[in-house]
Amino acid sequence: MGTLTLLYDGRCRLCLTTVDALSKLRLKAELRMIPLQQATDEELPAGIRREELLTELHVVDGSGQLYRGADAIARILREARGLGWLAGLSRLPLLRPLVRASYRYIAKHRYRLFGTVDDCEDGSCRIHAAPDSKNVKRRKQR
């Protein structure tokens, strides 16, 4: 069903934990995960500054549609075998504003709540399973 590109903050410990969890999902689509600190200008969506992209997770689908924050996570979950129903819940009229507001609050305070990889001088608190390479690809699973 195509490719999804996830752009995330590679310094954020919560983001790295999220990327690690997403990399373990069985997806119907290929998921490319790119830390924004290492992304080239060509890999970024046109018209959006890198600083703005660093405020929350972003997903770009194969048609170029951009999803932000909670909607980005829901877009990935739509491709996850057995978890699509979670994406559906996040679209319910009563839950959608709550999910989005919760995501924005956590994203805004993520460094204070969860720290950064820079918090450890020796790197011992870096999430070892999180991808460090520039373009991590997750193969389509059947």
Side-chain angles (χ1 to χ4, degrees):
M1 182 163 243
T3 300
L4 299 175
T5 302
L6 171 65
L7 301 167
Y8 67 95
D9 181 353
R11 289 185 55 234
C12 167
R13 290 175 67 197
L14 175 60
C15 301
L16 291 173
T17 300
T18 301
V19 166
D20 181 48
L22 292 173
S23 73
K24 294 174 182 172
L25 293 177
R26 292 182 53 231
L27 301 176
K28 296 180 273 185
E30 178 183 351
L31 180 60
R32 295 178 63 226
M33 297 179 246
I34 304 173
L36 283 160
Q37 290 81 354
Q38 297 175 16
T40 65
D41 290 340
E42 293 78 29
E43 293 171 315
L44 302 179
I48 303 178
R49 294 185 348 263
R50 191 178 302 259
E51 294 78 25
E52 184 180 344
L53 291 168
L54 282 166
T55 62
E56 57 191 349
L57 292 174
H58 289 75
V59 168
V60 182
D61 69 15
S63 68
Q65 176 73 37
L66 180 68
Y67 301 84
R68 302 168 185 255
D71 294 333
I73 297 296
R75 179 62 183 94
I76 293 171
L77 290 175
R78 281 183 16 208
E79 300 296 327
R81 286 176 167 74
L83 296 176
W85 62 274
L86 284 173
L89 281 179
S90 71
R91 290 191 305 253
L92 292 174
L94 293 175
L95 287 181
R96 189 172 195 160
L98 178 62
V99 168
R100 286 179 166 177
S102 299
Y103 182 97
R104 282 192 306 270
Y105 177 83
I106 291 170
K108 182 176 181 177
H109 301 286
R110 68 188 184 274
Y111 291 157
R112 183 173 49 81
L113 294 170
F114 302 96
T116 68
V117 295
D118 301 330
D119 291 340
C120 301
E121 300 215 7
D122 64 358
S124 62
C125 63
R126 177 183 296 263
I127 298 169
H128 298 289
D132 287 329
S133 65
K134 184 171 189 273
N135 288 309
V136 176
K137 290 187 179 182
R138 176 96 173 136
R139 290 214 191 276
K140 189 182 202 178
Q141 294 180 355
R142 293 188 185 152

